């Protein structure tokens, strides 16, 4: 494949799919938008380097989400990133002004704070299973673990989220379909 | 007041609004710079490996990665593992890739090539082949657990390396398999194959 063809396809992909990757990364990073942008940039570079695999994928978007999740998991293994994540304050990261408060902004801040209280892999499980609607086997394949691990991580993550969100301070009751 | 929210909706809100369309030029520039950097690394790796080969002869590794131009194996569509022992002293395998055979064996590495003649006869040209490597480098990559054993998967654009630590009764080190993406092997099969490797006492750590 010629470089200019690859570049043209890549540009079209970025125009169509970047926003999806950014939103996924924001959830994985629990609202740390700078970190999310870093992840997306790294992901897009990796995709370009292995563009023939993107082309061969049944769903280039699904492939790119998988790549993004791998980048996220890799990043969380690095000590400096873990340290940064552990002190991140999602409510502040959103940069929200109290004057702009709205039900959706409240909900967003609350959910991101709840996500930040999960371990990175549990957060990834929640995003893959309950936002991208992937099944257990596909989630396990992406995370490189057994389906049983996904099930147990999901159960623990949801229990934690419910507990976090239904405390007196938060008063939010999540329904998991 | 308690609110009821579907988790999917809550996550959708938390993901934020659609960001403004970004100029893809910056992403493209970064990606193209990465391609150039990779080309430089490959060139340096090739020069370094060739120099090593000149010094230590046939035991050296000349090419570690399958380039996009490497020919796809004719066996690509039908590769599978069968329960037969494969001997490559000091390594033995409980499983055998059907239609593949040991092409070269060293105390630090084994090269396994398809029988269809689609790859080079030169055992130090790893393109299109499976390579077992034994060294002391710490494993890196994505964690995968298989039969209570830890594996690390390191994906590259053209090939993947999967590593695991040797068993307690084997020489201490890390045994890895490198497989090219254009030969039809899946990660799960490669983990299974690597898990079947027994490292004998004659194994020696390779350089790298």
């Amino acid at each position: 494949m010629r470089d200019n063809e690859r570049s043209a396809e890549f540009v079209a992909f970025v125009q169509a799919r970047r926003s999806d990757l950014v939103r996924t990364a924001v959830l994985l990073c629990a609202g740390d938008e700078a970190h999310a942008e870093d992840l997306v940039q790294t992901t897009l570079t990796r995709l370009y380097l292995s563009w023939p695999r993107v082309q061969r994928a049944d769903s280039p978007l699904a492939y790119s989400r998988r790549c993004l999740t791998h980048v996220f998991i890799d990043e969380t293994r690095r000590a400096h990133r873990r340290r940064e994540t552990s002190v991140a304050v999602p409510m502040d990261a959103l940069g929200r002004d109290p004057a702009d408060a709205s039900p959706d902004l409240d909900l967003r801040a609350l959910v991101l704070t709840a996500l930040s209280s999960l371990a990175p892999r549990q957060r990834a499980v929640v995003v893959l299973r309950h936002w991208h609607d992937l099944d257990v086997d596909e989630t396990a394949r992406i995370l490189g673990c057994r389906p049983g691990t996904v099930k147990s991580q999901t159960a623990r993550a949801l229990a934690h989220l419910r507990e976090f969100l239904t405390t007196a301070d938060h008063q939010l009751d999540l329904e998991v379909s | 007041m308690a609110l009821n929210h579907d988790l999917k909706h809550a996550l959708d809100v938390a993901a934020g609004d659609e960001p403004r369309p970004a100029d893809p030029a910056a992403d493209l520039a970064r990606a193209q710079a990465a391609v150039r950097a990779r080309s430089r690394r490959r060139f340096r790796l090739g020069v370094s490996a060739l120099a090593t080969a000149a010094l230590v002869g046939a035991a050296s590794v000349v090419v570690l990665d399958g380039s996009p131009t490497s020919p796809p194996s004719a066996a690509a569509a039908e590769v599978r593992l069968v329960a037969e022992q494969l001997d490559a002293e000091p390594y033995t395998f409980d499983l055998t890739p059907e239609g593949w055979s040991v092409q070269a064996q060293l105390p630090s590495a084994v090269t396994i090539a398809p029988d269809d003649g689609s790859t080079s006869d030169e055992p130090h040209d790893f393109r299109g082949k499976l390579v077992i490597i034994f060294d002391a480098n710490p494993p890196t990559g994505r964690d995968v657990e298989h039969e209570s054993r830890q594996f690390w998967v390191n994906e590259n654009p053209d090939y993947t390396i999967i590593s695991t630590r040797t068993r307690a009764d084997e020489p201490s080190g890390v045994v890895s398999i490198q497989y090219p993406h254009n030969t039809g092997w899946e990660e799960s099969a490669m983990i299974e194959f690597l898990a079947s490797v027994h490292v004998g006492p004659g194994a020696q750590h390779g350089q790298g």
Side-chain angles (χ1 to χ4, degrees), chain A residues 6-7 10-11 14-15 18-20 22-23 26-27 37 41 44-45 48-50 53 56 63 66 70 74 77 104 107-108 111-112 115 121 126-127 130-133 141-146 158 161 171-177, chain B residues 1-25 27-32 34-36 38 41 68 141-148 152 155-158 160 181-182 186-187:
Chain A
R6 169 160 63 168
S7 297
F10 177 79
V11 165
V14 170
Q15 286 171 330
R18 195 181 205 284
S19 62
D20 178 280
V22 169
R23 296 183 78 220
V26 165
L27 289 180
E37 176 62 24
Q41 290 182 11
L44 289 172
T45 298
Y48 186 82
L49 286 169
S50 55
R53 300 197 91 195
R56 286 198 301 270
Y63 183 88
R66 179 181 180 181
H70 288 174
D74 288 348
R77 290 199 181 106
D104 267 4
L107 174 61
R108 185 180 188 218
V111 173
L112 289 175
L115 286 174
R121 288 181 79 88
V126 168
V127 172
H130 295 286
W131 196 47
H132 288 323
D133 293 325
R141 202 163 68 86
I142 289 175
L143 293 177
C145 63
R146 290 175 299 184
L158 294 182
L161 287 178
Q171 292 289 299
L172 183 69
D173 188 13
L174 282 182
E175 291 179 344
V176 181
S177 53
Chain B
M1 181 178 66
L3 299 171
N4 286 317
H5 282 277
D6 174 74
L7 178 54
K8 186 177 174 70
H9 169 71
L11 291 171
D12 200 51
V13 171
D17 298 329
E18 289 279 325
R20 286 182 194 155
D23 179 3
D27 290 314
L28 181 61
R30 268 188 297 272
Q32 289 176 328
V35 169
R36 287 192 294 273
R38 182 177 66 177
R41 279 197 305 275
R142 173 167 47 89
D143 286 2
V144 180
E145 195 178 319
H146 174 77
E147 295 177 348
S148 302
W152 289 267
E155 281 195 59
N156 294 281
D158 303 318
T160 292
H181 294 155
N182 62 351
E186 293 294 332
E187 178 182 310

Side-chain angles (χ1 to χ4, degrees), chain B residues 95-132:
Chain B
L95 298 171
T96 296
E98 191 176 52
W100 293 57
S101 303
V102 173
Q103 187 180 49
Q105 57 201 85
L106 295 165
S108 62
V110 177
T111 307
I112 301 172
D115 297 334
D116 62 10
S118 60
T119 57
S120 162
D121 291 336
E122 171 55 57
H124 315 115
D125 180 351
F126 291 172
R127 288 175 297 178
K129 302 172 189 175
L130 303 178
V131 187
I132 308 294

